[in-house]
Amino acid sequence: MTSVQELAIAGNSDVVIVRQQVRNRAQQVGLSLVDQTKLVTAASELARNALMYAGGGRVRIEVVNNGVRDGLRLDFTDEGPGIPDLDLALTDGWSTGGGLGLGLSGSRRLVDEFELESKTGEGTRVTVTKWAR
Protein backbone atom coordinates (compact mmCIF):
# COMPACT_ATOMS: atom_id res chain seq x y z
CA MET A 1 0.00 0.00 0.00
CA THR A 2 1.50 3.33 -1.03
CA SER A 3 1.13 5.91 1.70
CA VAL A 4 0.11 8.89 -0.48
CA GLN A 5 -2.45 9.25 -3.24
CA GLU A 6 -3.51 12.45 -5.02
CA LEU A 7 -6.80 12.90 -6.84
CA ALA A 8 -8.25 15.75 -8.87
CA ILE A 9 -11.72 17.04 -8.07
CA ALA A 10 -13.16 18.46 -11.29
CA GLY A 11 -16.66 16.98 -11.48
CA ASN A 12 -19.32 15.02 -9.62
CA SER A 13 -17.77 11.71 -10.70
CA ASP A 14 -14.54 12.77 -8.97
CA VAL A 15 -16.43 13.29 -5.71
CA VAL A 16 -17.61 9.67 -5.99
CA ILE A 17 -14.04 8.50 -6.63
CA VAL A 18 -12.79 10.46 -3.61
CA ARG A 19 -15.40 8.77 -1.41
CA GLN A 20 -14.46 5.32 -2.75
CA GLN A 21 -10.72 5.84 -2.31
CA VAL A 22 -11.11 7.27 1.19
CA ARG A 23 -13.24 4.27 2.22
CA ASN A 24 -10.68 1.83 0.75
CA ARG A 25 -7.77 3.52 2.52
CA ALA A 26 -9.71 3.83 5.80
CA GLN A 27 -10.36 0.08 5.73
CA GLN A 28 -6.67 -0.59 5.05
CA VAL A 29 -5.51 1.44 8.07
CA GLY A 30 -8.01 -0.29 10.35
CA LEU A 31 -10.62 2.38 10.99
CA SER A 32 -13.85 0.97 12.43
CA LEU A 33 -16.94 0.96 10.24
CA VAL A 34 -18.32 3.95 12.17
CA ASP A 35 -15.08 5.90 11.76
CA GLN A 36 -14.89 4.95 8.07
CA THR A 37 -18.39 6.36 7.59
CA LYS A 38 -17.52 9.57 9.45
CA LEU A 39 -14.38 10.11 7.39
CA VAL A 40 -16.08 9.30 4.08
CA THR A 41 -18.90 11.73 4.95
CA ALA A 42 -16.40 14.50 5.77
CA ALA A 43 -14.44 13.77 2.58
CA SER A 44 -17.60 13.92 0.50
CA GLU A 45 -18.58 17.29 2.00
CA LEU A 46 -15.12 18.77 1.53
CA ALA A 47 -14.76 17.49 -2.04
CA ARG A 48 -18.21 18.85 -2.91
CA ASN A 49 -17.30 22.21 -1.35
CA ALA A 50 -14.15 22.42 -3.50
CA LEU A 51 -16.22 21.65 -6.58
CA MET A 52 -19.14 23.95 -5.74
CA TYR A 53 -17.30 27.00 -4.40
CA ALA A 54 -13.94 26.83 -6.19
CA GLY A 55 -14.78 25.02 -9.41
CA GLY A 56 -12.60 22.08 -8.35
CA GLY A 57 -9.43 21.25 -6.53
CA ARG A 58 -7.32 18.34 -5.34
CA VAL A 59 -7.19 15.95 -2.43
CA ARG A 60 -4.09 14.28 -1.05
CA ILE A 61 -4.87 11.07 0.84
CA GLU A 62 -2.06 10.03 3.18
CA VAL A 63 -1.63 7.13 5.57
CA VAL A 64 -0.06 8.52 8.75
CA ASN A 65 1.23 7.10 12.02
CA ASN A 66 1.70 9.02 15.28
CA GLY A 67 3.94 6.38 16.87
CA VAL A 68 0.98 4.66 18.53
CA ARG A 69 -1.63 4.19 15.84
CA ASP A 70 -2.32 4.57 12.16
CA GLY A 71 -4.65 7.08 10.63
CA LEU A 72 -5.67 8.75 7.44
CA ARG A 73 -5.01 12.42 6.64
CA LEU A 74 -6.91 14.15 3.84
CA ASP A 75 -5.61 17.45 2.49
CA PHE A 76 -8.09 19.30 0.26
CA THR A 77 -6.79 22.31 -1.69
CA ASP A 78 -8.31 24.63 -4.23
CA GLU A 79 -7.50 27.89 -5.96
CA GLY A 80 -10.97 29.38 -5.61
CA PRO A 81 -12.10 32.71 -4.19
CA GLY A 82 -11.24 31.76 -0.61
CA ILE A 83 -13.35 32.17 2.51
CA PRO A 84 -13.47 35.76 3.77
CA ASP A 85 -14.70 34.94 7.31
CA LEU A 86 -13.50 31.57 8.64
CA ASP A 87 -15.36 31.87 11.95
CA LEU A 88 -18.64 32.52 10.16
CA ALA A 89 -17.98 29.69 7.69
CA LEU A 90 -17.57 27.29 10.63
CA THR A 91 -20.84 28.38 12.24
CA ASP A 92 -23.62 25.79 12.08
CA GLY A 93 -26.39 26.93 9.77
CA TRP A 94 -24.38 29.52 7.83
CA SER A 95 -24.21 28.93 4.09
CA THR A 96 -23.51 30.93 0.98
CA GLY A 97 -24.73 28.10 -1.22
CA GLY A 98 -28.27 27.72 0.06
CA GLY A 99 -27.55 24.45 1.89
CA LEU A 100 -27.98 23.56 5.53
CA GLY A 101 -24.70 25.18 6.50
CA LEU A 102 -23.28 22.01 8.03
CA GLY A 103 -20.53 21.19 5.52
CA LEU A 104 -17.45 22.65 7.23
CA SER A 105 -18.74 22.57 10.79
CA GLY A 106 -20.14 19.07 10.34
CA SER A 107 -16.90 17.85 8.79
CA ARG A 108 -14.97 19.27 11.74
CA ARG A 109 -17.11 17.26 14.17
CA LEU A 110 -16.64 14.00 12.22
CA VAL A 111 -12.83 13.90 12.37
CA ASP A 112 -10.16 13.89 15.08
CA GLU A 113 -8.11 16.78 13.68
CA PHE A 114 -9.32 19.66 11.50
CA GLU A 115 -7.36 22.58 10.05
CA LEU A 116 -8.76 25.29 7.78
CA GLU A 117 -6.67 27.90 5.99
CA SER A 118 -8.02 30.31 3.41
CA LYS A 119 -6.92 33.49 1.71
CA THR A 120 -9.39 35.61 -0.18
CA GLY A 121 -8.60 35.45 -3.88
CA GLU A 122 -6.04 32.64 -3.45
CA GLY A 123 -7.89 29.55 -2.32
CA THR A 124 -8.60 27.25 0.58
CA ARG A 125 -6.92 24.32 2.26
CA VAL A 126 -8.71 21.94 4.62
CA THR A 127 -6.75 19.16 6.32
CA VAL A 128 -8.52 16.48 8.33
CA THR A 129 -7.19 13.41 10.13
CA LYS A 130 -8.99 10.38 11.54
CA TRP A 131 -7.08 7.94 13.79
CA ALA A 132 -7.73 4.22 14.17
CA ARG A 133 -8.92 3.42 17.70
Side-chain angles (χ1 to χ4, degrees):
M1 166 173 69
T2 59
S3 63
V4 177
Q5 178 181 20
E6 291 196 28
L7 301 170
I9 303 166
N12 288 325
S13 62
D14 294 326
V15 175
V16 173
I17 291 168
V18 168
R19 284 196 307 252
Q20 292 169 339
Q21 291 303 310
V22 168
R23 180 163 307 276
N24 291 342
R25 300 309 284 286
Q27 289 171 341
Q28 291 171 353
V29 299
L31 267 65
S32 69
L33 183 57
V34 169
D35 284 344
Q36 289 173 37
T37 302
K38 288 178 179 181
L39 187 59
V40 168
T41 300
S44 182
E45 288 293 329
L46 296 171
R48 193 157 302 287
N49 277 1
L51 186 59
M52 176 184 275
Y53 296 108
R58 299 195 62 74
V59 62
R60 183 174 191 261
I61 304 169
E62 180 180 11
V63 175
V64 292
N65 181 288
N66 65 3
V68 177
R69 56 192 172 169
D70 291 329
L72 205 57
R73 180 167 296 137
L74 311 177
D75 187 34
F76 291 85
T77 56
D78 68 59
E79 295 177 2
I83 302 170
D85 188 332
L86 296 180
D87 290 331
L88 189 58
L90 288 167
T91 301
D92 284 349
W94 185 83
S95 174
T96 60
L100 296 175
L102 297 173
L104 287 174
S105 61
S107 294
R108 180 171 60 178
R109 283 192 299 275
L110 293 170
V111 298
D112 298 319
E113 298 172 16
F114 180 96
E115 295 176 36
L116 171 62
E117 303 169 31
S118 190
K119 292 186 179 170
T120 303
E122 294 183 27
T124 300
R125 178 182 200 154
V126 182
T127 306
V128 299
T129 305
K130 192 74 174 165
W131 296 103
R133 309 246 174 258

